[in-house]
Amino acid sequence: MNTESKSHFEEFEKPLIIRRKLLPWWIKTFCWIFMVMGVCAIGVLIASPFITSFQLSIYGFETNTPLSGIGLFIIAILIFKGFAAYSLWFEKDNAMSITKIDAILGVVICIISMFIIPFISESESSHFSIRLELALLIPYYLKLNKIEYEWDNLESL
């Protein structure tokens, strides 16, 4: 009887292991930035019928109209990035796969905005630009890849 009652409480005796400790300070900072931006993107989506002009921009895509194709694309990116940041910050089991998808999509979208959009756009203002976001997205992906095994083998709270 003693061993049976003890086994019910073993779960509470485990030491607390926090996956968040695996993250460097700069990823923790961006988690908060993108969680806030994701909430703001939802707010823009809700307010967009009442506000006709709102500046949105990410990865080289920009618009003044949130209810346009590009506007909804930017809002979707921001919401997804907010969800990825939330998953990482709150140590969800699927956080590594979601954030790695986020990083890969970010790189692909940056490459599209750098190399494809300037050539297919009919606007005279479209020009080739180097996206500095790549300078963070690539190390972000590499760091996630480096800590993925340890992350997956730790128990979250």
Side-chain angles (χ1 to χ4, degrees):
M1 179 164 170
N2 190 16
T3 59
E4 188 175 314
S5 63
K6 186 177 180 179
S7 66
H8 292 314
F9 295 105
E10 273 183 19
E11 186 173 330
F12 298 108
E13 300 292 326
K14 292 180 183 176
L16 299 177
I17 300 172
I18 301 176
R19 292 172 170 171
R20 196 180 305 153
K21 290 180 181 179
L22 298 172
L23 302 174
W25 67 269
W26 57 277
I27 290 180
K28 291 176 185 177
T29 302
F30 280 107
C31 279
W32 278 103
I33 290 169
F34 284 113
M35 283 191 287
V36 170
M37 287 177 70
V39 170
C40 290
I42 293 170
V44 167
L45 189 60
I46 292 169
S48 60
F50 310 108
I51 302 171
T52 56
S53 181
F54 198 90
Q55 181 68 32
L56 295 171
S57 176
I58 193 165
Y59 297 144
F61 290 90
E62 55 186 51
T63 187
N64 290 329
T65 53
L67 289 180
S68 65
I70 292 178
L72 293 173
F73 176 68
I74 292 170
I75 289 170
I77 291 170
L78 291 173
I79 291 172
F80 182 69
K81 292 189 82 51
F83 176 68
Y86 171 85
S87 298
L88 198 59
W89 186 258
F90 289 101
E91 305 175 5
K92 301 298 180 187
D93 289 333
N94 60 355
M96 279 296 130
S97 57
I98 291 171
T99 52
K100 287 173 81 173
I101 290 169
D102 171 43
I104 292 168
L105 280 176
V107 169
V108 168
I109 293 169
C110 280
I111 290 171
I112 289 170
S113 73
M114 284 173 33
F115 296 112
I116 296 174
I117 299 299
F119 296 111
I120 63 171
S121 178
E122 296 177 8
S123 172
E124 291 181 22
S125 65
S126 46
H127 55 280
F128 178 78
S129 63
I130 296 176
R131 304 300 316 163
L132 293 178
E133 291 95 333
L134 289 173
L136 290 173
L137 286 169
I138 293 170
Y140 172 60
Y141 179 83
L142 293 174
K143 183 62 177 178
L144 292 174
N145 206 33
K146 185 176 179 180
I147 66 172
E148 182 178 23
Y149 178 80
E150 194 172 355
W151 179 281
D152 289 340
N153 291 308
L154 288 177
E155 291 185 31
S156 65
L157 294 175

